[in-house]
Each structure stands twice: as structure tokens, then as C-alpha cells.
Amino acid sequence: MAIIINKDIFTIQTKNSTYQMKVDHYGVLLHTYYGEKTDNSDKSLLYYQADRGFSGNPYAVGKADRTYSLDSLSQEYSGFGVGDYRITAVRAQNADGSQAVEWKYMGYQLEKGKYAIPGLPAVYASQEQAETLIIQLKDTTTGLEATLYYGVLEQCDIITRTVKITNQGKTDVILQKAASLQLDWEYGDFSLISFYGRHSMEMNLQKEKIHHGVQSIGSVRGISSHQYNPFVMVCEKNTTETMGSCYGFSFLYSGEFLIEVEKDQIDRTRLLCGIHSDNFQWTLQAQKSLWLPEVILTHSQQGMSQVSKNMHTVIREHVCRGVWKNKRRPILINNWEATYFKFTGDMLVKIAKEAAKLGIELFVMDDGWFGKREDDNTGLGDWTSNEKKLGCTLKELSQKIISQGIQFGIWIEPEGISEDSDLYRAHPEWVVKIPNRKPCLSRNQFVLDFSRKDVQDYMIKTISNIIKESSASYIKWDFNRAICDKFTNALTADRQGEFSHRYVLGLYRVLEQLNNDFPEVLLEGCGGGGGRFDAGMLYYTPQIWGSDNTDAIERLSIQYGASFGYPVSVMGSHISAVPNHQTGRITPLSTRACIAMAGTFGYELDIAALTAEQKQEMKHQIAVFQKYYSLIQFGDYYRLSSPLEGTCTIWEFADPQGKEALISAVYHHVQANSVPVRAKVYGLKDDAMYQLSLQDYGEKQPEKLPYGFCSGELISGAALKQVGFVIPSAVNGFQAWQIYIKEK
Ligand code: DGJ
């Protein structure tokens, strides 16, 4: 039993964490604790309340207790306008014009298993793996209800939260803000770790002290965005990778989000996470409900690394679904950086043929195969193949490719529409634009209004036809712009504030239908790289193209940032040509392979331009990746050193049973007479003995290997953890080494 209810106290116990709430005398649901595992005792006894000037007292409290104020209590879910002056979870416009929301506890319910959310992605688990706690709050004046859902995956140290808001009143209520998660801390000296970026440079780690005032990250771009990722960590002072209190929050949502933190007048801290309120206004008619997107929470006292591990497990095992969840994903080759828009069918068949010979399993035809699409100015929306360019029909081309002994995959951008397209000419009303204004162009394209059911149905049919005609076993779903000019013809003027969320719901509906209709087809998400890299998308597409930046050294920091919240099994990563097309940098082929192996692994270059020696090396890389596949995709991931510091980025995949590990090390900065780089290995058994070996790519080997390599010495797991071993020094610029450690 992970959920323990003792009168008015709700305690959730996971393997290593405790979460607690309490209903107080006045019917307010207090948040009393979330952190390292403790007993079920009432943590509110340790609270300290004082009379704070200008922090008022609810009328029901009267003169009895001037220390009781909503402005200073840790609450589970707050409302705007009734005496809590901090950032609040819900704001609504009531029939009388007021914006107040005052939550009172009404009751609870327990359920076996994990709740699901209609139309939205959610963590799933078997009846045995999860429990659900449902708590009912109500504003007794207006009849607005908040049903708080807690999904508890005890063994994974995961708690999920979502809220269903229901209007039990008689008149419309307009929701103006509705956070999925509120978390209050009574004490603490915290830092917020978030991941910011831009197109082609996503996932840069930023750690900032949570100071007095409000700090926030979010997106108003219609997509979760390259600019800020909807995953954050909150750490106590002095938390490291392996020590200290750390919380992780992942929002399962692919649209506009807002994550805010506020440290208040008495140093208490509040975190809110939900749909961004700037573009949000939802009319709730009487008896209608709105489900909010889900947030995954985890806590560890063992630092950031364990929080990442918990997130990796829950995403890999309880968010990603379907046939491809645990099935080995195909090693693919994508023609984008090999040809861009300038290709013919014959060129593609040639790439596929060469690729098949090397052991590549899937050929992906990227942008440019349809309509009048010779560059990014035209053709989006016209999803019929350009037979002149391909030299045959789509069906014939895919058959030619498949007959080379390789599977066929195809790129689409269903949400994009070019002004110069037959679809636009036929359905100008399907484009997202505000009446009497010209919509903003981005990559010279508009956005198709996915909030409309007719558009959703049209796209389901169109994509289904593409899959059937081409026998595609893989789809890359791209989206190459952010959304503005938000307006839909399908809603009346007073409901336009629903557009952004309805767009995401529409996107999810289409993706869900495709998942159901084509369970064998592997979907890879993409938003011009990492523009929609979020746990929500992963429910529908079990891998996402990580970035349009394929430079191996830049990928070190992009993939490092992503690793905090997401497992490597979801990270689309390819080996591309040198000089790299984005940065001009030249890196060894083995380095590019090592970095692409910290992802789904594939290629994106013109094989014909490679030497026989390089092709031989590629064959070897494929064999290496296949050999270590399970360890890489399902092993425990550790960040051993950061690309943002020092000279060498090191990461590790460890077998969960501690029998083997693979260490990858890339010198991002090479120095003369360098200081030895040491890797401390985690996840091994202290008292077991291990042997180290260097993965050989047939390249120049170090003249002298550090102690312990290849010479048969046995080293204990404890020594490898406490003392670590020295990574061989760099022989080339951007040298990479892979070191395999095996129990003997
Ligand atoms: C952006 C993607 O991220 C690229 O990989 C490629 O598919 C282009 N779009 C095609 O337009």
C-alpha cells in the first residue's frame, strides 16, 4: 500500500520518497511534505505560523487565529484572489465578474492501478504497479470543482499529478489559468535547473538560485519549443550528481507551458507547472469538465543522477508505448544531409543499396518527395508524390528500396502548409490566421489548423494513404515553425483562448489514431530538431530527432542536457558528414559514432562519397552498436563528466545487475601535456572483479594504455567507483574512446 490515509492525513510512500497532505480545521488541503522517505507522522506539527502583517485571515477563522493565512500556508492547490498573494494555481472569471477561486476539501477516493486521461498522454502501469488517489476540492460559492489525481508508481519513486476541473455551478465559468501541479516547500534553499536553447542548439543547462520573486520558463509558441524544455529540476543547496536532495518535474505536454517558481516573504517556495496562461482562456459550461495535462514528479536524496534515472525508467517503461517500446529500433540512414531537396529516385535507391550492404536497416526519405517541393517555399500540404522527381510512383520507389534488403521510411510535416500549395488554394480557411490580418510566415510556411476536426480527419486519411502506398515501416513527423496568429474559424470569438490547447488535443488525436491503425509503424517526432522534445510526444512517438545540429561536439552538450530528463532510447542521433554542415567542424568518424550511439543511432550522409575504408569502419560501428544495444538502450545512464567543463565528456551505461558497463569518453578539448582524466564508475558491484577493454575502431591506438587495460588485470567494483580509472589520452583532436567493463 503506497497510499496511507489516517483521518485527515494523506501520506504517499514510494520506495525512497514520502509525500504528504493534510486537511486542516478550515477545510484547506495543506501540503505538508515531499522529500526523502520518512514515516507517516503528521509533518504539519513541525510547521511554524506567525501573524504576518498584510497577510490576511479567512473570515471563517475570524479573530481566533491571526497566524492563519492562506498567504503563508503551504497548500496543495491554491486559488486566486482570496488572500494568497503568491502565484496561484487557478484563476477563473465567474458569472458575477469576480476572479476568485477558494478551494475546500470535499472528500477522497482510492483506486487500484493508474488513472488515464481522455485525449491526453499519461503515464500508464499495470494494476499491480500503481495506485491512484483522488481528492475532491470545491469552491462552494461558485460550484467549481478541482479533482486532484495522484498516480503512484511506488517501485519507480514516481508520483504523477493531474487535475480535472469541473463546473458544478449553473452558469459558465471562464478558466484563465489552471496549473496541473502546485508544489509548496515550507523551507529550503533551492536552485532551479532548466534547459534553454534555440533552433539547432537545444537543451543548454541553466542552474539559477531560486530568489525572492517569481522566476519562470515556458512557451507561448504553440509547441513546447527549442527555447525552454518542459522538464526542470529543483535542487537543494550543495546537491551534486550523486548526493543531496533533488526533485524532477516532467510535463507531459507538447504545447504552451509555464513553469513558475516563487520564493515568498518568509522564504517558502512554490512551484507551479501547467498550460501557459497567456494564450489560455477556457469556457467551462455548467456540468462540463476540463482535464489538465499530467506532470511526472520524482525525488531523490541521491542527487541529480538518480532523479534522471527515475525519469528515464518512467519514460521508457511507462510513457513510451506499443510495439517499439522495447523492440530494437532499426539503424537508419536519412537522406536529408546527403541531398537536401536535390535528389532523384535513382539517387535514393543508390544510397539505400549502399546502406543495406553495410548493415543499415532502414532508409528514410526526407523532405522534398511530394508536390512542387524543390525548396522550403512551396508544396507543404500536397502529399502526393512528385513522380517526375522520383522517376516513378511512391509505391514503385519504396518497392525498389525495399528490394535492396532495407526497410522504407518517409518524412512528413502534416501541420505545415505552404501558401503555394493546392491544399491552401482549396482550403484557405484551414490555415491558422486572424481575420483581416496577414499571418506570420516562418520558413515561408503557414500552420494547418489542427484544432479543427475536419483537418484532423483529413490528415489521418492522408497519412494513412501514404503509409499504405509506400509500405512505410517508419514515419518522421516534423514541424518546422512555431505558431502565432492564433485563431480558429471553428470557434466563436469568445472562445479563441481555447485554440492553443485544442490544437494540441487535435495533434494528439491524429497521433493516437495512427498509433492504433498502424501499430507496427515506428514514429519519430521532430520539430525542426528538438522543438517538440517532450514527454507528451513520447507517448505517441517513442523517439524524437534531438536537434538539427548534427555536429558531434555540439551534440555532446545537447544530449548531455537532454539526459537529465530523457532516456537515450528516445534521442534521435545520427552520424553526419565532415566538415559538419552546421559548424564546419571536422571530427573523426569514430567520435561521431560514439556520440550517435548515445541515442537511437543512424546515419545522415552521402555514403557514395565515402572511401572503402570508411565504409568498413561503418560496418564495424554497426556491429559495435548492435553488440552493446541492450546495455545502451536499457542500461542505467550516468553522467561522469560534463561537456561544459574540463577536457573530456564521459558517460556510462551500466547493466542494472552490475555485470557490465560501457564507458564513452570524448575529448571536447585537447590539451598538450594533459592532466589525466579519471572516470569513477557507478552501478557495479563493490565486491565483484572486473576487466577493462578498449573498443577498437581500427584507428590509431594510444601508445601506452593506462593501468588496467587489456592486460588482464582484475579490478574491484569498489575500486572502480572510489578511485576510478584513467581514460587513455587523446591521440587525435576530438578523440573518443569506448571502454567496456565486464565482470570476471
Ligand atoms: C527539419 C528536420 O529537423 C530535418 O532533419 C529535416 O527533416 C528538415 N526539417 C526537412 O525540411
Side-chain angles (χ1 to χ4, degrees):
M1 273 290 283
I3 303 166
I4 300 102
I5 299 164
N6 185 2
K7 289 192 214 132
D8 45 10
I9 298 172
F10 300 89
T11 308
I12 297 172
Q13 297 287 9
T14 72
K15 207 161 114 197
N16 298 293
S17 71
T18 300
Y19 188 107
Q20 195 182 66
M21 297 161 268
K22 179 184 179 172
V23 185
D24 75 8
H25 292 321
Y26 303 103
V28 172
L29 184 64
L30 302 177
H31 176 81
T32 57
Y33 182 72
Y34 184 34
E36 190 176 9
K37 190 158 188 157
T38 70
D39 53 34
N40 303 334
S41 63
D42 179 0
K43 309 293 179 296
S44 74
L45 298 174
L46 302 168
Y47 274 29
Y48 172 72
Q49 287 293 111
D51 178 5
R52 309 273 172 196
F54 292 83
S55 291
N57 320 108
Y59 193 83
V61 181
K63 294 180 188 141
D65 182 4
R66 283 180 50 163
T67 72
Y68 187 98
S69 173
L70 292 179
D71 199 28
S72 56
L73 283 169
S74 288
Q75 295 163 65
E76 187 61 14
Y77 201 59
S78 58
F80 179 83
V82 289
D84 186 342
Y85 297 98
R86 295 167 287 182
I87 46 173
T88 42
V90 180
R91 192 175 67 237
Q93 170 108 27
N94 302 308
D96 59 7
S98 68
Q99 293 185 313
V101 178
E102 186 173 15
W103 298 122
K104 285 284 155 67
Y105 171 79
M106 306 305 288
Y108 77 92
Q109 228 177 296
L110 280 177
E111 282 175 7
K112 232 178 154 222
K114 164 75 178 53
Y115 64 86
I117 313 178
L120 281 168
V123 164
Y124 65 92
S126 68
Q127 292 284 337
E128 292 67 42
Q129 288 170 320
E131 290 170 50
T132 295
L133 169 64
I134 304 167
I135 297 184
Q136 201 69 48
L137 306 178
K138 188 169 187 170
D139 182 321
T140 50
T141 308
T142 61
L144 196 68
E145 266 184 14
T147 313
L148 312 183
Y149 285 78
Y150 299 81
V152 185
L153 278 70
E154 184 180 357
Q155 291 310 312
C156 301
D157 280 323
I158 291 291
I159 298 174
T160 65
R161 284 187 53 181
T162 191
V163 183
K164 182 171 75 170
I165 308 273
T166 307
N167 180 2
Q168 297 287 17
K170 293 195 168 55
T171 45
D172 289 3
V173 172
I174 301 168
L175 279 178
Q176 295 168 325
K177 179 178 182 184
S180 299
L181 162 76
Q182 172 177 325
L183 193 66
D184 282 6
W185 287 272
E186 271 288 297
Y187 60 90
D189 192 355
F190 295 114
S191 292
L192 177 71
I193 297 178
S194 58
F195 300 88
Y196 70 95
R198 54 192 181 275
H199 175 232
S200 291
M201 207 53 237
E202 302 85 344
M203 294 286 190
N204 303 286
L205 184 145
Q206 167 170 271
K207 182 173 179 180
E208 43 178 353
K209 210 171 144 45
I210 298 181
H211 53 67
H212 289 98
V214 181
Q215 286 147 276
S216 70
I217 58 147
S219 162
V220 289
R221 295 167 185 265
I223 50 176
S224 48
S225 88
H226 304 84
Q227 282 69 18
Y228 300 100
N229 192 270
F231 167 78
V232 295
M233 281 178 168
V234 170
C235 293
E236 270 193 48
K237 209 173 165 182
N238 303 329
T239 293
T240 66
E241 279 283 3
T242 51
M243 276 177 344
S245 178
C246 182
Y247 301 82
F249 306 95
S250 192
F251 194 29
L252 275 87
Y253 193 58
S254 311
E256 304 183 352
F257 73 95
L258 179 63
I259 299 177
E260 307 167 271
V261 285
E262 179 175 5
K263 185 166 174 174
D264 75 1
Q265 56 178 344
I266 48 173
D267 289 358
R268 285 177 181 151
T269 303
R270 170 170 292 174
L271 179 138
L272 297 175
C273 172
I275 295 176
H276 204 301
S277 48
D278 275 8
N279 276 318
F280 177 80
Q281 179 160 291
W282 195 278
T283 302
L284 263 189
Q285 290 162 338
Q287 307 312 312
K288 291 276 186 225
S289 298
L290 176 70
W291 281 90
L292 303 178
E294 181 170 86
V295 187
I296 303 175
L297 289 71
T298 191
H299 172 267
S300 175
Q301 201 61 33
Q302 266 74 55
M304 297 183 289
S305 189
Q306 186 62 43
V307 163
S308 295
K309 225 162 110 180
N310 296 349
M311 283 294 169
H312 296 173
T313 308
V314 71
I315 287 179
R316 218 167 43 201
E317 302 296 330
H318 300 282
V319 174
C320 294
R321 302 178 291 168
V323 176
W324 289 100
K325 175 177 155 179
N326 290 325
K327 192 166 155 187
R328 191 170 75 68
R329 314 266 172 83
I331 296 170
L332 67 80
I333 185 154
N334 177 303
N335 73 300
W336 179 242
E337 286 201 8
T339 64
Y340 295 101
F341 292 103
K342 305 274 170 273
F343 59 83
T344 61
D346 284 348
M347 284 162 75
L348 301 186
V349 175
K350 204 166 147 205
I351 296 176
K353 188 174 177 181
E354 284 296 309
K357 280 193 224 156
L358 301 180
I360 295 173
E361 298 152 319
L362 167 70
F363 171 82
V364 179
M365 176 166 71
D366 210 281
D367 197 353
W369 60 269
F370 52 90
K372 281 194 294 167
R373 184 81 170 162
E374 293 305 338
D375 53 33
D376 58 15
N377 294 317
T378 57
L380 276 183
D382 296 341
W383 298 107
T384 42
S385 57
N386 181 341
E387 291 180 9
K388 204 163 146 225
K389 183 171 181 175
L390 300 184
C392 56
T393 64
L394 177 60
K395 189 175 180 158
E396 284 160 353
L397 179 75
S398 79
Q399 287 315 316
K400 282 187 208 169
I401 286 175
I402 292 168
S403 69
Q404 304 304 322
I406 194 165
Q407 298 161 50
F408 181 74
I410 195 164
W411 177 98
I412 50 172
E413 186 176 352
E415 298 154 87
I417 176 164
S418 305
E419 197 169 11
D420 185 1
S421 68
D422 293 342
L423 185 67
Y424 181 74
R425 283 181 281 273
H427 286 289
E429 79 284 7
W430 280 6
V431 163
V432 176
K433 64 175 190 293
I434 301 169
N436 306 318
R437 287 181 199 270
K438 291 278 179 218
C440 177
L441 285 162
S442 186
R443 211 193 188 204
N444 208 6
Q445 70 191 57
F446 297 145
V447 177
L448 206 52
D449 183 356
F450 261 56
S451 75
R452 293 176 64 122
K453 180 145 184 317
D454 50 0
V455 169
Q456 295 160 25
D457 291 340
Y458 175 83
M459 281 323 305
I460 291 169
K461 211 165 134 211
T462 305
I463 299 166
S464 303
N465 287 340
I466 295 172
I467 296 175
K468 285 183 204 148
E469 191 187 344
S470 68
S471 310
S473 58
Y474 163 105
I475 292 281
K476 177 174 170 187
W477 181 300
D478 202 352
F479 186 30
N480 282 295
R481 61 162 293 175
I483 309 173
C484 55
D485 304 297
K486 288 160 196 159
F487 186 92
T488 174
N489 297 313
L491 290 172
T492 49
D494 55 329
R495 300 194 72 154
Q496 291 299 326
E498 297 175 20
F499 168 76
S500 290
H501 183 51
R502 286 191 186 276
Y503 183 98
V504 179
L505 293 175
L507 169 71
Y508 288 158
R509 179 176 167 250
V510 176
L511 288 167
E512 180 67 18
Q513 192 64 49
L514 293 173
N515 268 281
N516 289 337
D517 294 349
F518 303 97
E520 302 291 333
V521 174
L522 171 62
L523 265 76
E524 176 154 351
C526 176
R532 210 158 45 188
F533 198 103
D534 55 70
M537 273 313 271
L538 290 170
Y539 188 69
Y540 306 96
T541 68
Q543 59 191 56
I544 301 177
W545 178 228
S547 177
D548 276 354
N549 188 342
T550 62
D551 177 292
I553 300 307
E554 301 282 72
R555 273 296 185 122
L556 281 178
S557 65
I558 295 168
Q559 294 179 189
Y560 169 79
S563 79
F564 281 81
Y566 305 93
V568 294
S569 57
V570 307
M571 166 66 67
S573 193
H574 300 165
I575 295 168
S576 60
V578 289
N580 177 265
H581 293 190
Q582 290 82 44
T583 62
R585 195 185 334 246
I586 296 177
T587 48
L589 188 52
S590 54
T591 299
R592 284 175 270 154
C594 175
I595 294 163
M597 282 188 208
T600 54
F601 193 68
Y603 293 86
E604 191 162 329
L605 40 68
D606 181 6
I607 307 195
L610 299 180
T611 62
E613 211 181 3
Q614 286 168 324
K615 285 185 195 163
Q616 199 48 40
E617 188 174 335
M618 278 169 66
K619 253 184 164 172
H620 184 55
Q621 291 165 351
I622 289 165
V624 170
F625 182 65
Q626 281 174 341
K627 181 166 152 203
Y628 296 125
Y629 182 83
S630 302
L631 193 53
I632 293 173
Q633 302 290 307
F634 307 114
D636 292 337
Y637 179 89
Y638 295 93
R639 293 172 292 269
L640 303 188
S641 75
S642 157
L644 313 174
E645 295 159 8
T647 57
C648 190
T649 310
I650 314 172
W651 63 96
E652 176 192 350
F653 305 103
D655 161 47
Q657 273 76 49
K659 290 186 182 144
E660 54 175 352
L662 181 70
I663 309 283
S664 302
V666 178
Y667 281 92
H668 55 262
H669 181 68
V670 182
Q671 287 181 325
N673 192 16
S674 59
V675 174
V677 174
R678 189 169 287 277
K680 293 188 174 182
V681 187
Y682 291 94
L684 302 180
K685 293 177 272 186
D686 279 356
D687 50 2
M689 300 306 284
Y690 296 88
Q691 213 168 39
L692 275 59
S693 60
L694 198 60
Q695 183 60 55
D696 179 7
Y697 279 98
E699 288 200 342
K700 201 169 156 196
Q701 295 290 303
E703 274 165 23
K704 184 173 170 289
L705 284 169
Y707 177 79
F709 274 96
C710 310
S711 39
E713 288 93 342
L714 294 181
I715 312 172
S716 73
L720 284 167
K721 181 170 74 186
Q722 304 300 350
V723 187
F725 72 94
V726 172
I727 302 285
S729 50
V731 183
N732 298 311
F734 306 117
Q735 175 85 50
W737 299 118
Q738 284 177 316
I739 298 118
Y740 179 60
I741 302 177
K742 180 138 186 73
E743 184 182 1
K744 287 286 160 189

